[in-house]
């Protein structure tokens, strides 16, 4: 007899993965490793932002870089699943960004702040929520400073937001798992363990198509 629950699951597509946590905790580092190791399994939900691109970032790949007016108009037109102001800039997940990944039957990865988590939880996306944390505020600050992407003002705003994000991660039921990114390879191993079922599902479905 066919296992209908498994058929339904495959048809619904893989569950999206939400990575969230303080700026500098290592979300992008971890998700880039995942996308490299599992080429053709994960797809990144490319957010929109009004912040300036950093050296090496590519429009359409890391973010869609837009003006505040363009972003506000798109938000007002209902083009976003969620949007937020973080550290003085607007960020948002467009419906098109998620749809583009899901149309390919890939695991959609969202890298979003806590406001985004709250809002995505109100949707029917049925995501897996993973909190990425640094081992301590001192280490977080050092990582952010060493990254050399922020002005002192922006760094202070991010550290302030980080304290709030740390408390948020402790809220009951917010995250399925919390990973402390101390030794990168250990954190990456834990992330892969959490996502193993979805990874295997995508690999299996891909092979039968
Ligand atoms: N386990 C680790 N040990 C040491 N350095 C790390 C580790 N993980 C990430 N880093 C470094 O810390 C910095 C911040 O990492 P990353 O940019 O991935 O953070 P993020 O959470 O994506 O931040 P943001 O939210 O600002 O985009 C980077 O320079 C990265 O190379
Ligand atoms: N709510 C949302 N938050 C987002 C989105 N895209 C990124 N982010 C978060 O913003 C901060 C800062 O990112 P940075 O690239 O400027 O360092 C970080 O916490 C991201 O997770 C989004 O679409 N919605």
């Amino acid at each position: 007899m066919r296992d209908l629950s498994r058929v339904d699951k495959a048809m619904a597509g893989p569950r999206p993965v939400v990575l969230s946590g303080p700026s500098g905790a290592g979300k992008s580092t971890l998700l880039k490793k995942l996308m490299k190791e599992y080429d053709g399994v994960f797809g990144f939900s490319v957010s929109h932002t009004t912040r300036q691109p950093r050296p090496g970032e590519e429009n359409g790949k890391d973010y869609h870089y837009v003006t505040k007016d363009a972003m506000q108009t798109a938000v007002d037109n209902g083009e976003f699943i969620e949007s937020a102001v973080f550290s003085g800039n607007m960020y948002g997940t467009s419906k098109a960004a998620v749809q583009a990944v899901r149309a390919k039957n890939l695991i959609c990865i969202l890298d979003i702040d806590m406001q985004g988590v709250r809002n995505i939880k109100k949707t029917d996306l049925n995501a897996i929520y993973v909190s990425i944390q640094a081992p301590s505020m001192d280490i977080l600050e050092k990582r952010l400073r060493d990254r050399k992407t922020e002005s002192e003002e922006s760094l202070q705003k991010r550290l302030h937001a980080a304290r709030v994000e740390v408390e948020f991660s402790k809220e009951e039921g917010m995250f399925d798992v919390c990973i402390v990114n101390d030794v990168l390879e250990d954190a990456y191993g834990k992330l892969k363990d959490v996502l193993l079922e979805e990874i295997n599902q995508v690999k299996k479905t891909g092979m039968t198509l």
Side-chain angles (χ1 to χ4, degrees), residues 19-24 27-28 46-49 51 54 57 63 82-84 86 89 91-94 111-117 147 150 158 165:
L19 296 187
S20 193
S23 169
K27 303 177 297 293
S28 320
V46 182
S47 293
H48 283 59
T49 184
R51 83 151 162 75
R54 295 174 185 145
E57 287 185 340
Y63 281 106
E82 63 80 29
S83 65
F86 178 91
N89 291 300
Y91 295 81
T93 306
S94 70
D111 173 347
I112 56 175
D113 81 331
M114 55 178 268
Q115 303 168 79
V117 170
R147 195 172 72 180
E150 307 310 313
R158 283 169 186 256
E165 296 255 2

Side-chain angles (χ1 to χ4, degrees), residues 190-202:
K190 285 178 190 158
L191 182 59
K192 282 200 293 188
D193 283 350
V194 171
L195 304 179
L196 209 56
E197 199 183 316
E198 296 302 315
I199 291 171
N200 286 338
Q201 190 202 325
V202 170

Side-chain angles (χ1 to χ4, degrees), residues 15-67:
R15 293 174 72 190
V17 177
V18 168
L19 296 187
S20 193
S23 169
K27 303 177 297 293
S28 320
T29 306
L30 287 163
L31 78 82
K32 280 177 185 162
K33 275 176 82 69
L34 264 184
M35 301 211 20
K36 194 170 169 200
E37 180 172 349
Y38 296 100
D39 187 28
V41 171
F42 290 95
F44 182 52
S45 160
V46 182
S47 293
H48 283 59
T49 184
T50 62
R51 83 151 162 75
Q52 291 299 305
R54 295 174 185 145
E57 287 185 340
E58 276 179 52
N59 191 23
K61 187 169 172 244
D62 298 285
Y63 281 106
H64 299 288
Y65 299 95
V66 289
T67 62

